[in-house]
Amino acid sequence: MATLLGLPLLVWEYGMFSADGCTSGIEVMILCGFALLAIAWALPHRRSLRMLRMTAAGAGLGCALLPVLFAMLMAMAMASG
């Protein structure tokens, strides 16, 4: 479920912020999100590793949502001032 929500958002964000040259904090957050989702998919699908896979996928989803939430908060702050 986290991959269905996080992967398209990460691809869209990467397309938006890829011109930064991997120097901004947002770019690093996006790449960490990709790495965490890749780790969640690469881990073996055994019952003993289920919690680690869910944690990695959830953290990847969090890395995908944080830049969007930050942009929304900044837009609200700029609009209220």
Side-chain angles (χ1 to χ4, degrees):
M1 182 70 175
T3 304
L4 289 175
L5 297 173
L7 192 59
L9 186 59
L10 282 169
V11 169
W12 176 74
E13 288 174 350
Y14 186 76
M16 294 283 291
F17 298 110
S18 63
D20 288 346
C22 207
T23 58
S24 70
I26 293 175
E27 183 83 15
V28 172
M29 183 74 67
I30 293 169
L31 293 177
C32 285
F34 275 125
L36 286 168
L37 285 178
I39 288 170
W41 274 94
L43 285 172
H45 290 270
R46 283 184 273 173
R47 188 179 180 110
S48 63
L49 294 175
R50 182 181 299 167
M51 195 60 173
L52 184 59
R53 281 185 297 133
M54 288 184 357
T55 303
L61 179 62
C63 287
L65 291 176
L66 279 177
V68 173
L69 292 175
F70 180 69
M72 287 175 45
L73 285 173
M74 291 301 289
M76 289 183 348
M78 298 281 272
S80 67

